[in-house]
Structure formats: structure tokens, C-alpha cells
Amino acid sequence: MAWRRRIDIPADIRLSFVRSLYGNRATLWFGMLAHVIACAVIYLKTGNGSFLVFAAIFTVIALARLYDMSRFDRAALANPTHEQLSKWEFRYLVGASAVCTVLGTMCFFSTYVVKDSFAELASLSILLASVVSIVGRNYASRAAVIVMSACSLIPVLAGFVLAGSTFHMIIGFLLIPYFLSNIQMANGLREFLFAAVMGRRELAVVAGRFDAALNNMPQGLIMFDGDGKLVVVNNKAVSLLQISPDTDLTGRSLQTVLRYCSLHGLFPRSKLENIRTLIDDLLAGRRERDLFQFSDGRYIEFSCNQRRDEGAVLIFEDVTQRIEAEAQIQHMARYDGLTGLPNRMHFESLVKSLLARRAHGRQMALVVLDINDFKHVNDTLGHHVGDQLLQKLAERLGDMDPTRFIPSRFGGDEFVIFVPDSGAETDIALMMNHLLEAVSGAYRLLDHSVQVEVNAGVALAPASRFDLQSLHIKADLALYEAKGSEDRSWAVFEEAMDIRYRSRQRLKNDLRGAIANGSLKVVYQPIVSTQSLRIVSCEALSRWDHPELGPISPADYIPLAEEMGIITDITRFMLERACVDCVNWGDRIGVSVNLSAIDLKNSDITHIIASALRNSGLPTNLLEVEVTESAIISDRNKTCNVLQQLKNAGINVALDDFGTGYSSLSYLNTLPLTKVKVDRSFVRDITTDRRSLMLLRGVTQISHEMGLGVTVEGVETQEQLALIRGAAGADLVQGYLLGAPLPANAISTLIDKSFPLPEESRKMLPTAM
């Protein structure tokens, strides 16, 4: 690289070249001594005092250069700039050029002025010797070599030319290629050394980068040579193997490293041979990778790459998080996240595994279990309490004999339990009672104590015919039967359940179709005044005549409609039909329509009622809605708001089946009611039991005092009617005595008629009083 491009040279490398100029000061002393002695010898030979002047000049220049070199030593060149280095290079050039100029001038003086052969020979010898040092000492500066050579050559050449001798001129011109060759040698040496320095620098950079990459790898790395000795070990390997940073592993064998790790507790000594064999297989290429768990619980995965020049590179990393994550994923895929019980898929695999190991012919059982009123727990106490209940119930299931009961959670509050050996059929009751007793009872949940009851369905099959999917369906049917029964909490599947279930499903489909095509009908049961015995209102009742099964009782299809979520469709139909029929009766009587609990939760029910009134033109005071106590309990606040809106609109509100609940009397004061309909259970015994009559009269009086009208349901005999009119004091009566449910057109013919009371019934009034 030419010095004209020195700006491209890194400053720190150029500094090393400049230092070489100012270094090795012994040669400066030797040169000055040689120059002074030569001048003295020439003086002694020629007697010319000029040579003593030359000796003095050499001494002064040498001392000046030594002083300049001492200043260079003290200069602050930790982070030099090219400007600083150029300054010091120029200062050196001035001193070195001065020496060469004096040498050349002394040769010129000896050749042209003195013309003494000895002086000429001695001065030329000293000059040529000094020219050799130009290459050896000043190669680092291209400018120094050129200028010093020129300063030496020009005076000498001038002296040889001016001497006038042809031989002197020949010798003088022969010095030119000599000086040029010296300059070329210096340039070559400088370029070679510069390339070497740059190569070393680049090698150091590459080595630094390699070292940084090697020691910042997330994996540990150990490189072995062909003899199995360690030649490279990175920091991660030292950390993973818990080796002291001060320990030098270079040149050690694998066996030594493994013994060191075992000694420091990385793995038991008993496993030393096993690990050595494992790693030997990797290094030999017999295995690509392997996994080992250390004593501290970490999982380390080893892999190996073979080197072309023999030896191998062993790479290993801590995969503990990956292994634990995979295990967590496997657990999440197999177990329910809330309860920790096996989920559906893992439960099926467990059952299949157990079936494969069981003897054929042994009876097995599948139990489906759910919590009664679990939704009520979620709605009233919150889902976090409901989740805790599921967790605690799962804990109780898990505490049972795991060889006899294999529980799982399929979702919601549904738990499925596999019983590999249910014993004889006579043992089923003992097994189920034991199971239900274990999970039923009081649960302490946060600040609440919850009494839990469960229902269960059981399906039985021998191992040879055990089909999980089929038995699950059967157990579900048995559970449905148990939930519909008041006297048992569990049931075993029977074929009749399947028949009833299929019939029920068919009935659901047919009911949906009947609502869609308007196959339902409306009939009306008269409600009669106890004073005039005339019809003052009618209760609208739905009827369904199935095309194949004949009349279906409302007690059968109304619960189905509620279960299917289509009860509001029936209510809408009843309201619209009842309002139109009531208008056709000439506004002489009113009509009442029943609302279900689902209707009262429906935010659209007030709009449905308003639409029916608006479309029919029926006055609001002629419409009455009837609600039961069970419908109110499901969501009392919302129910109260809906009923209040209806009452504010002028619609009458009646509490139906009054007296069948536990807290009916409290509703008389808190709900926006206009009427109470006393249940038929109050009427059944009033002719034979004086206390029943007194109770009916008390309810009537309380209702009247609160401004509520009273309708008594279930009147079936003239005797009951007479007592209700006389002793009980009710306002209205309803029952088969006064009329069965009739079509709308039949009601029109009865509106102006009254219901006579036989004479024998009249005679009973004083007796009853």
C-alpha cells in the first residue's frame, strides 16, 4: 500500500509503523559514532579541519534526534489521529534527511574539493553503509526512504560528475540503480509487513467474533480432536455442566470431564458409565441425539456432528422448559383443566385399556352423574363458587377406590364414572348408594355452605359387549328418568326408557310442527260470579289433538315446550287468539291467559301482550294474566318489574294456584297483584272438614283486606259452591261444576245465562255457618 493512501490505513496500525521509526535507538548511537570516527580519521589523513566540522554537525544532529525521540515517547498517542502521526513522521524525516544530506555533502567535499583518494573512499564507504540502514530502519516510511536516498545520492553524484573524470562519472551513475533498488526493497518490505499486520488484525477480529459467537450460543459446545481430547469448550458448556470457570478443560479426556461432573453432583456415580456409553455412541455416530435427566431435575439433550479432520463436536442444551411444556400440553390434552379429572378423550382411552385387560363375561358399569340445581348455584353465588363446587366434588370422586371407580368430567356438571367390576345386579344398589353418599351432602365453598344432591344414571354390560358410546347414551336416559322421579336419585337403564325417550323426542318434533302450522286449539273455562252466578270471565286453555295419538294432555306437552324453549310461541298464540275471541264476545266478559316462568324472563313479553291487545282492539281491563308462585321464585326481581309494567298498563294480574307454595302470603304484600286464585286443594275437604273451610275463609278475608279479588278454583259439587258463596265469601268460582273448557263459540251462548243453585244446597248454608 502506497503511503499516499496512508489515510486508508487504520491509525493504530500506522502508529506501529511510526513507532518503528523512533525505535531501536542503539543504531542511532552507532551511526553517530561511526560518522564522527570516520571524520576524525579523514582529518588525521588529510589535515583538513572541515572534517572536524562535519563530525560536530553529525553530533548535533544525533543529539537533536535523540531529544525528539524522547518527546515522542512522552506524547499522548493512546488514540492517535492521522494528523498527529503525520506530524511525528515529518519530524523524523527532517532529522533523518539532515544526516543523509551531511553524508552526501561530505562525500561531495572529499571528491570535488579535497580530492584525496582516502578521504573519498572513507566518506563513500560511510555513505553506502548508512544507505543500507535506510532500508533496515526506515522502511516504515515511504517518504523517509525516498527523501533520505535523494539527500544522499544527489551530492555524491554531483561530486563525481564535477570531478571531470570519466571513471568517476561512471561510478556515480552506477549508484543510481543501487539507490533505486534500495527504495524498491524498502517498499516491498513495508508492503509485506503491512499485509501481515492487517492479516493478523483481521484474524484477531474473526477470532473475536468466533469467540463471541461461540460463547453466546444458547447451546453448550465441546470440540474433540482425533484422540478424544477436548480442544474447544464454550461458556455455555461450562455453565450447563456446572464446571468452575477457573478449571481448564483443554486437553482433557471425556472420561475426566464426566468424573468431574459426577464428583460435583451433576449425576450419581452409578450412572457415570451409562452416560459415558451414551456420549461415546454419539461421538462414534451410532446415534444422532439423546436425552438425559440430571440429578437437579434438568433435562439435557445431546447431539453430535462429525468433523472432517477427525474428531467431533458435541452440542448439548437445557431442554427442561420444552420437556415440561410438552408434559403440560399432554396433561392439558388428557385432563380437565378445572377438576384435574380425565377428560372425554383420555377417559375413553383408559376404558379401552382396562377392557383389554379384563376377562370376558365380567359385568361392568358406566355411571353418569350430575348435580341437582347446579345452575342455581352459579346464578345465585357466582360461577367462581360453582367452579369450586365442581373441584371439590371431583376431589371426593378422586378419593374413592381408584381400582373400582375411574371418574372423569365431560363438561358442565356432568361426571362419567367407569366401574370395571360392578359385581352382581344385586350389588348395584350398594355400589350406587356408596357413590352418591360420597359426593352428596354439605360443601363449604368460600363463605357459603351448600347442600348438594346428585342424580345418577347407570348402564350395565358384560366386558364382551361393553361399548362406551352406546352405554353413555343409556346411562344418560337412566339419569333423565332419575331426575324426573321424586322417590329415587338414581336409576338403572331399562329398554323401556329408550322407548319412552324416543316417543318423547317424536312428541317434541310433532309439537314444534303443531305450533308452526297452527294445530293447537284454545278452549275457555268459565269463571262465574258467586253473587249473580253469571260468567264474568274465562280462562284460556290450550289443547292439542295429535293426528295419530289423539288428545295430548297439557301436563305432557307444556313441560316439553318449556324444555325446548318454545313456550313463548304458545303463549303468543294463546294471547292473540284469546284477545280476538274476547272481543267477539262483545266486551261483556274478560279473559285470562297463563304466563310461564320462561315468559316472565323474556324481555319481549310486555311487547307481545301489547301487540295482542292492539291488534285485537280488546280493552286492557278485560285481559288478565295468571302467574304461579314457581314462576315468581325463578327471578323475583325481574318478575316483579314485568308484572308492575302490566298492572300500570291496566292489565289484571292474578296469582294462580295460591297456597301450594311455602311463602305465598308474603307475595300478597310485595307483588303488584289484583287477584288471588285459591288452589283446588283448599276446596277439596271444605264440606267435611270445618278447618279447611275456616282456612279458605281466612285467606279470602286477608286478600279482601289487601284490596285483592279472590277466585276459588276446583269447584266440583253444589255443596262446595254453596259454602264458598256463603261461608267463604269468595268473589269468583271456577270448576267443572260451573263448566268444562269449551270452544269460543260455546262461551257466547252461556254469557247471559246464570247457574242455578239447588234448594237442597241452599238449606246447607245455615248449618255451615
Side-chain angles (χ1 to χ4, degrees), residues 14-303:
R14 187 181 173 193
L15 174 63
S16 66
F17 279 85
V18 174
R19 286 187 189 280
S20 70
L21 298 175
Y22 283 90
N24 196 12
R25 294 166 196 176
T27 61
L28 187 64
W29 284 103
F30 288 139
M32 180 191 72
L33 183 61
H35 296 160
V36 171
I37 292 174
C39 289
V41 171
I42 296 172
Y43 166 72
L44 292 176
K45 172 67 176 59
T46 62
N48 192 325
S50 297
F51 289 99
L52 295 178
V53 174
F54 281 118
I57 294 173
F58 282 129
T59 302
V60 170
I61 293 174
L63 293 175
R65 292 182 69 190
L66 288 171
Y67 172 74
D68 189 56
M69 289 180 178
S70 66
R71 289 188 62 189
F72 176 81
D73 293 339
R74 296 191 299 272
L77 296 174
N79 294 297
T81 64
H82 283 286
E83 289 75 11
Q84 288 177 302
L85 296 176
S86 295
K87 182 191 74 172
W88 285 108
E89 186 177 356
F90 177 76
R91 292 168 69 95
Y92 177 84
L93 179 60
V94 170
S97 300
V99 174
C100 292
T101 300
V102 175
L103 278 172
T105 301
M106 187 174 71
C107 287
F108 173 83
F109 184 78
S110 299
T111 303
Y112 181 70
V113 177
V114 179
K115 297 182 180 180
D116 182 81
S117 58
F118 177 79
E120 184 177 338
L121 175 62
S123 60
L124 184 59
S125 298
I126 291 296
L127 173 67
L128 294 179
S130 298
V131 168
V132 173
S133 71
I134 292 177
V135 176
R137 178 183 177 85
N138 303 283
Y139 66 88
S141 173
R142 177 185 179 87
V145 172
I146 294 174
V147 172
M148 291 172 68
S149 297
C151 290
S152 301
L153 175 62
I154 292 173
V156 173
L157 184 60
F160 279 11
V161 171
L162 294 176
S165 171
T166 302
F167 297 103
H168 278 87
M169 294 178 65
I170 292 172
I171 294 299
F173 284 111
L174 288 178
L175 290 176
I176 295 176
Y178 172 71
F179 275 88
L180 292 177
S181 65
N182 281 341
I183 293 173
Q184 204 63 26
M185 289 173 55
N187 289 340
L189 179 59
R190 182 174 58 255
E191 295 295 339
F192 174 77
L193 291 177
F194 176 74
V197 171
M198 289 300 296
R200 183 176 181 181
R201 178 187 180 89
E202 292 173 359
L203 182 62
V205 171
V206 171
R209 291 173 179 172
F210 173 77
D211 185 68
L214 182 69
N215 289 306
N216 285 280
M217 289 175 57
Q219 301 88 9
L221 181 144
I222 296 179
M223 184 180 294
F224 295 89
D225 61 15
D227 298 326
K229 303 296 184 181
L230 277 70
V231 292
V232 175
V233 182
N234 70 352
N235 292 340
K236 190 65 176 180
V238 171
S239 173
L240 289 174
L241 298 179
Q242 297 181 351
I243 298 172
S244 172
D246 300 330
T247 303
D248 185 11
L249 298 178
T250 305
R252 305 293 181 89
S253 66
L254 173 64
Q255 185 70 16
T256 301
V257 175
L258 293 179
R259 282 201 302 268
Y260 177 94
C261 295
S262 175
L263 182 64
H264 288 78
L266 196 62
F267 49 82
R269 190 173 184 82
S270 59
K271 293 186 177 181
L272 176 62
E273 187 63 25
N274 180 39
I275 297 179
R276 188 191 65 78
T277 302
L278 178 152
I279 297 180
D280 282 343
D281 288 344
L282 290 171
L283 295 176
R286 290 188 289 270
R287 308 178 67 146
E288 291 186 359
R289 62 183 59 244
D290 214 328
L291 185 70
F292 188 80
Q293 185 178 17
F294 285 166
S295 298
D296 56 6
R298 292 180 300 152
Y299 288 90
I300 306 297
E301 186 176 56
F302 292 84
S303 61

Side-chain angles (χ1 to χ4, degrees), residues 528-590:
V528 178
S529 169
T530 57
Q531 301 301 318
S532 64
L533 295 180
R534 292 181 182 275
I535 299 176
V536 297
S537 183
C538 290
E539 181 179 359
L541 303 170
S542 65
R543 292 292 183 265
W544 180 25
D545 289 332
H546 194 279
E548 297 178 13
L549 303 177
I552 306 296
S553 170
D556 293 330
Y557 70 80
I558 292 299
L560 283 182
E562 292 180 339
E563 182 180 329
M564 296 165 62
I566 59 176
I567 186 63
T568 300
D569 294 333
I570 297 179
T571 302
R572 180 185 288 106
F573 165 74
M574 295 291 295
L575 283 165
E576 292 174 352
R577 185 73 262 168
C579 288
V580 170
D581 289 340
C582 189
V583 169
N584 293 334
W585 294 332
D587 295 346
R588 290 173 291 174
I589 64 174

